[in-house]
Amino acid sequence: METLLTNEGHVFTANTGNMNAFMRMKAQLEDNRQKLDEALTKNLLWAEQRLIGNEALHSAIQSAPWFPTQMSDLDKCNHLIVKYQPEMATDHPGFHDKVYRDRRMAIADVAFNYRHGEVIPQVEYTENETTTWKHVYNTFSAMRAECACSEYVAAMQLLEENGIFSPEFVPQIEDVSNFLKKRTGFRLRPVAGLVSARDFLASLAFRVFQCTQYVRHHSKPLHTPEPDCIHELLGHIPLLTSPEFAEFTQEIGLASLGASDEDIDKLATVYWFTVEFGLCPDPQSGRLVAMGAALLSSYGELRHALSDAPEHREFCAPEVAVQKYTDEHYQPVYFVVESIEQMKREFREFVNSLHKPFRVRYNPYTESMELLNSSRALEHQMRNIHTEVSHIEAALESLHWLTETAPQVAATN
């Protein structure tokens, strides 16, 4: 312990060990900032010399595939893949049910007519649709503690406590969207069906999740050959309330902007084996549990994935990106992630290996993308990093005062 004197003349004692730890942390932060300054300044000069008049680079940027730069551009990201829709797939449970197909079309019109910034129109769900929802909801609720990752379990409890989820009604995606925005900044927009990988991933870059509003056919409540609102809501929404998982999801989207068709396939495959079909070990028991939305909304495949039947491999982003998969049968291979943090770290290393002439940054204030393709843009980003580091330093000072200094001052008054 060490006796100190404040500016106001108060005498107090402070825990020397904790103070030393605080000073070490602060010194490390300042040292890292200095190294960052030196590295960025050096590389900014290098970049500026090579960017000026580099026609090959500018040509590569101009020839990159179109991608949305404003959130309103997502109105154009609605190219449907129709092979799974009930009027196209003869093995779809609703193929011979005209009433169901007409209902689907009416709900799809809501999505076709929706534009960014509008309130998402409500769907008046029928008794049959609500019964289907309730059956699936109760089935998975009984399995949740045993088969789902701890983040999912906690998120479902949060959604239920806030009245967003209940077995008694199909949630309106406007209500879910408003709740998500307060948690992680993600929001929903209605979609008429399965969209192309490029369009879907581009939406994620803006923290927008394209969400269907129709319900699967009542004859097969525990399986759907295509995404429906039960899959989206029960599968995806819970983990999108997690800041760490939401960040990973957005990073896949950011990596997709301007990517080649080949890289889009790789990124979509990573998404498939993590966000849709990912597994992880339970931290308490060590047994495998589900993290993926497709597993947490499909009873049969969930049981299959957690059994000894398929192959379970450790997550390795480059390997995952080229792994073949099936969208018509249970997967023969699933990947196990150690943690969300490990998954993000490996994914970032993988993205750095992709050949893109530029990177982008999402600006949440303007809801737009900023191209990091000039020294000016990089310098602006460096100033943003400086600001964030200053906030961290100030927070450390405040925490030190609240936990170490203030209690001791109060005790001597």
Side-chain angles (χ1 to χ4, degrees):
M1 302 292 286
E2 183 177 350
T3 302
L4 301 173
L5 183 69
T6 70
N7 291 337
E8 291 78 17
H10 298 298
V11 177
F12 68 95
T13 58
N15 188 312
T16 307
N18 286 346
M19 283 189 66
N20 289 338
F22 166 76
M23 296 306 295
R24 284 196 302 271
M25 187 182 299
K26 186 175 180 182
Q28 184 179 22
L29 191 64
E30 291 173 349
D31 181 56
N32 288 340
R33 176 153 63 171
Q34 184 177 355
K35 290 178 180 177
L36 179 65
D37 281 348
E38 293 172 355
L40 285 174
T41 301
K42 178 182 178 181
N43 285 289
L44 280 174
L45 291 172
W46 176 90
E48 189 168 13
Q49 292 169 357
R50 283 156 180 78
L51 284 170
I52 297 174
N54 192 326
E55 295 300 328
L57 178 60
H58 290 296
S59 176
I61 294 173
Q62 292 298 318
S63 62
W66 178 88
F67 60 89
T69 57
Q70 303 284 335
M71 191 177 289
S72 57
D73 290 340
L74 297 181
D75 289 341
K76 305 172 187 176
C77 295
N78 55 7
H79 298 92
L80 292 182
I81 298 174
V82 299
K83 69 175 183 176
Y84 299 110
Q85 294 190 347
E87 64 273 16
M88 301 295 292
T90 57
D91 58 347
H92 192 290
F95 181 77
H96 298 289
D97 189 339
K98 186 177 184 305
V99 173
Y100 178 79
R101 295 202 313 271
D102 290 345
R103 172 69 170 163
R104 279 281 301 270
M105 186 58 68
I107 295 176
D109 284 341
V110 173
F112 282 130
N113 295 320
Y114 176 81
R115 294 295 178 268
H116 169 68
E118 297 176 350
V119 175
I120 302 172
Q122 292 198 352
V123 173
E124 297 296 330
Y125 290 102
T126 65
E127 182 179 350
N128 196 8
E129 290 165 338
T130 304
T131 299
T132 301
W133 162 267
K134 184 174 184 177
H135 178 71
V136 179
Y137 194 101
N138 288 335
T139 298
F140 281 94
S141 291
M143 304 168 63
R144 193 186 303 166
E146 174 192 357
C147 299
C149 65
S150 57
E151 292 87 351
Y152 180 91
V153 173
M156 282 296 293
Q157 183 177 351
L158 179 72
L159 288 160
E160 290 173 342
E161 289 174 350
N162 283 271
I164 306 299
F165 278 8
S166 166
E168 304 304 322
F169 59 85
V170 182
Q172 297 294 333
I173 67 171
E174 174 72 16
D175 297 335
V176 179
S177 182
N178 290 335
F179 182 79
L180 270 183
K181 277 190 285 187
K182 295 176 182 178
R183 297 288 304 179
T184 60
F186 254 92
R187 66 187 76 187
L188 307 182
R189 64 172 290 146
V191 66
L194 183 65
V195 295
S196 70
R198 186 179 290 278
D199 284 350
F200 180 74
L201 296 180
S203 301
L204 299 180
F206 291 82
R207 295 210 172 200
V208 172
F209 187 87
Q210 300 215 38
C211 184
T212 54
Q213 291 178 285
Y214 54 81
V215 176
R216 61 190 60 177
H217 196 266
H218 62 274
S219 65
K220 290 191 174 181
L222 296 179
H223 172 73
T224 176
E226 58 178 336
D228 75 325
C229 72
I230 294 179
H231 164 72
E232 323 275 38
L233 295 171
L234 291 184
H236 284 287
I237 297 308
L239 283 181
L240 285 178
T241 67
S242 160
E244 293 78 15
F245 199 84
E247 183 179 39
F248 172 73
T249 303
Q250 183 185 26
E251 286 191 19
I252 297 181
L254 288 168
S256 77
L257 299 182
S260 66
D261 290 343
E262 179 184 357
D263 286 343
I264 288 291
D265 287 342
K266 291 179 180 179
L267 294 167
T269 302
V270 172
Y271 185 90
W272 179 271
F273 280 111
T274 54
V275 179
E276 293 288 3
F277 290 95
L279 299 175
C280 61
D282 179 78
Q284 302 299 323
S285 65
R287 72 181 188 280
L288 288 182
V289 290
M291 177 184 71
L295 298 177
L296 292 165
S297 58
S298 176
Y299 178 86
E301 182 138 16
L302 177 60
R303 288 299 188 191
H304 167 76
L306 298 179
S307 73
D308 294 330
E311 181 182 355
H312 297 130
R313 298 181 189 170
E314 289 185 10
F315 177 79
C316 171
E319 178 185 342
V320 172
V322 295
Q323 174 64 40
K324 300 297 182 183
Y325 64 87
T326 174
D327 55 8
E328 296 179 355
H329 307 286
Y330 293 163
Q331 305 302 311
V333 175
Y334 298 90
F335 288 89
V336 181
V337 303
E338 177 185 314
S339 65
I340 295 176
E341 193 57 42
Q342 175 248 355
M343 182 172 63
K344 287 195 297 184
R345 184 173 61 252
E346 287 207 20
F347 177 73
R348 286 168 184 161
E349 292 176 0
F350 168 69
V351 169
N352 288 338
S353 72
L354 301 180
H355 300 293
K356 283 176 62 176
F358 58 87
R359 292 291 188 268
V360 296
R361 171 186 177 271
Y362 178 60
N363 186 328
Y365 306 112
T366 60
E367 297 183 345
S368 63
M369 291 296 161
E370 297 175 350
L371 266 66
L372 303 179
N373 64 340
S374 68
S375 57
R376 179 178 296 179
L378 293 172
E379 190 173 4
H380 176 70
Q381 182 66 3
M382 185 172 70
R383 288 199 297 270
N384 289 337
I385 293 172
H386 268 293
T387 301
E388 292 300 322
V389 171
S390 296
H391 290 164
I392 294 172
E393 287 179 332
L396 281 172
E397 294 279 4
S398 297
L399 284 172
H400 178 254
W401 169 258
L402 288 172
T403 59
E404 297 296 330
T405 308
Q408 300 295 339
V409 172
T412 60
N413 289 339

